[in-house]
Amino acid sequence: MPADALEKQTGRREAVRAFKRDAILQAARVLFARDGLDGTTLRAIAAEAGIAVGTVYLHYPSKEALYAALLAGSLADLQKHLRAAAAKADAQDQLMAGALAFYDFYRQRPDELYLGLYLGQGLRPAGLTPELDRLLNGRLIQCYTVLSDAMRRQVPSEAPPLDADMLRAETVSLAAAIGGALMLEVTGRLKVLGDTGKAVVRRHVELLVQRLRAAS
């Protein structure tokens, strides 16, 4: 077979493979959102995607691997979103911009929030496999690092750097505040209290900035 014909054939195969992989991911997203991780099977995903279950196994050896692929992609998108928001703001405004971008990312994508909570597990701690959990936790930490880096920029350059323990604690507190605001918002609890998730996040960051600057 001529080289150009072989190249075209290889390109078509890759295009078909990419199309099937995307169909699998989209079908899995629908079923995980509806039935949770425990209630979803690769056979059901194959049926939703309109392909053979054997084809699903060629791309993903387990539903946990498929779930991890979706969540890893979501976290990569979140990190890009946070970095873009921070890049558009002045150094002193990057923490607020990053925190609100974190909140807005999930508020505008409730399925992504649900995905990050390990669908269908409720409030029980859950995981996929130790290896996949380490991978996903690493991706999540990279997102939080965007916020902790912005915290460092709240301190004047001539002042001593923030204490590492304080930085870690404040990053955890901010993550908890954003996550809590999202949960209360999507469940309608904040509306009952006459507040909004974005306002909660904004107040938390304003007080956080005061603490950070006082510590410098």
Side-chain angles (χ1 to χ4, degrees), residues 151-166:
M151 289 183 197
R152 291 191 179 94
R153 299 187 186 102
Q154 300 302 312
V155 178
S157 58
E158 64 274 11
L162 290 172
D163 176 77
D165 289 338
M166 178 183 183

Side-chain angles (χ1 to χ4, degrees), residues 3 7 13 19 27 53 67 101 116-117 123 137 141 143 155 160 164 188 201:
E7 184 177 348
R13 287 174 180 167
F19 176 82
V53 67
Y67 196 102
L117 293 175
L123 296 178
N137 287 334
I141 288 172
C143 294
V155 178
V201 173

Side-chain angles (χ1 to χ4, degrees), residues 13-196:
R13 287 174 180 167
E14 288 301 318
V16 170
R17 182 177 176 84
F19 176 82
K20 289 182 178 179
R21 184 167 56 246
D22 184 64
I24 293 168
L25 288 171
Q26 295 307 315
R29 186 182 298 275
V30 170
L31 294 184
F32 284 142
R34 188 186 72 194
D35 302 328
L37 179 61
D38 285 349
T40 300
T41 65
L42 288 184
R43 187 172 297 279
I45 291 171
E48 178 72 19
I51 60 178
V53 67
T55 301
V56 178
Y57 279 106
L58 287 176
H59 292 272
Y60 302 100
S62 66
K63 66 178 181 180
E64 289 79 12
L66 182 46
Y67 196 102
L70 283 171
L71 186 50
S74 175
L75 291 172
D77 290 342
L78 172 61
Q79 185 179 9
K80 291 178 183 177
H81 186 69
L82 295 178
R83 291 193 180 282
K88 294 177 182 177
D90 294 335
Q92 295 301 304
D93 297 326
Q94 286 181 0
L95 181 55
M96 181 68 77
L100 292 177
F102 200 120
Y103 173 84
D104 286 337
F105 180 88
Y106 284 116
R107 188 67 186 93
Q108 296 168 12
R109 303 169 180 81
D111 285 349
E112 302 283 334
L113 174 63
Y114 201 31
L115 185 69
L117 293 175
Y118 286 5
L119 308 183
Q121 302 300 312
L123 296 178
R124 292 185 291 112
L128 298 173
T129 68
E131 182 179 359
L132 291 175
D133 287 346
R134 282 194 297 272
L135 169 66
L136 296 172
N137 287 334
R139 292 286 182 90
L140 183 58
I141 288 172
Q142 290 175 355
C143 294
Y144 290 146
T145 298
V146 178
L147 300 180
S148 60
D149 287 345
M151 289 183 197
R152 291 191 179 94
R153 299 187 186 102
Q154 300 302 312
V155 178
S157 58
E158 64 274 11
L162 290 172
D163 176 77
D165 289 338
M166 178 183 183
L167 185 64
R168 181 196 60 78
E170 292 291 9
T171 301
V172 171
S173 294
L174 178 56
I178 296 172
L182 282 164
M183 293 302 296
L184 291 173
E185 180 85 51
V186 299
T187 56
R189 300 298 191 273
L190 281 178
K191 185 176 181 180
V192 173
L193 297 172
D195 214 334
T196 67

